[in-house]
Amino acid sequence: MMNRFETSFSAGREARLRYMDADFQVVQTGEFVRCAVTEQPIKLNERRSWSVERQEAYASAEVAMQRHLEVSGD
């Protein structure tokens, strides 16, 4: 059972964003985006790592680095 301070992302709507170098553009409004690697929901105001090239959000800088290494083959 959840208390009133917990957030349920299943009740919220997933946003679609267009990622730019230092900002983003809202394509479809929502409360969260999903991490491209872990599929973990990320609140929009807590989103800190993303790829402009791949248009993906990441749950953390560590996850972003993991994805970079996977894609680049390093």
Side-chain angles (χ1 to χ4, degrees):
M1 177 181 218
M2 293 177 57
N3 66 42
R4 64 187 177 136
F5 299 107
E6 291 179 285
T7 303
S8 171
F9 289 107
S10 61
R13 191 167 152 193
E14 187 169 352
R16 288 186 43 223
L17 305 179
R18 180 173 163 243
Y19 298 102
M20 297 178 281
D21 288 331
D23 205 359
F24 64 94
Q25 217 173 26
V26 177
V27 175
Q28 179 178 322
T29 59
E31 291 79 39
F32 69 95
V33 293
R34 291 207 182 269
C35 174
V37 176
T38 67
E39 297 187 13
Q40 169 185 348
I42 309 164
K43 292 180 187 180
L44 291 186
N45 63 342
E46 294 177 1
R47 180 198 40 77
R48 302 281 183 266
S49 300
W50 64 87
S51 168
V52 174
E53 180 182 335
R54 291 185 290 281
Q55 291 295 297
E56 298 176 335
Y58 307 111
S60 68
E62 292 81 8
V63 172
M65 179 56 79
Q66 173 188 339
R67 177 71 167 150
H68 171 74
L69 293 174
E70 288 172 358
V71 172
S72 67
D74 291 344

